[in-house]
Amino acid sequence: MLSTLLAYSSRYWDYYRQRFERDRGLKIDFAICSPPLAARVTGAFIDREERDPAVFAGAPSDHAPVIVDIAD
């Protein structure tokens, strides 16, 4: 599940040429864990809203955080 999410979703957008708005990003960030920890992953998503200049004023980061939910 995590590898599928990260394989198809962008997490970095250069500021030039409206790459975020056109979803022309790069996949350069990783969430790496051991097999026992990977077995406890219950969900994951890329928080695009954190990066969206329409949501947060000012100059946003060019990266979006990868959020991974892990069971106890």
Side-chain angles (χ1 to χ4, degrees):
M1 172 182 51
L2 181 60
S3 61
T4 301
L5 168 80
L6 299 180
Y8 295 105
S9 301
S10 297
R11 294 168 303 282
Y12 168 86
W13 298 267
D14 194 337
Y15 286 112
Y16 299 102
R17 300 185 184 107
Q18 295 180 311
R19 295 205 188 269
F20 181 79
E21 293 78 5
R22 296 184 303 128
D23 197 21
R24 300 290 180 151
L26 302 172
K27 300 160 182 67
I28 63 171
D29 298 323
F30 299 93
I32 299 172
C33 60
S34 66
L37 185 59
R40 295 174 38 209
V41 172
T42 60
F45 69 97
I46 296 166
D47 190 358
R48 288 178 52 97
E49 189 172 282
E50 183 71 27
R51 164 60 179 87
D52 192 344
V55 176
F56 292 101
S61 171
D62 46 9
H63 291 262
V66 176
I67 310 298
V68 180
D69 297 317
I70 301 171
D72 289 338

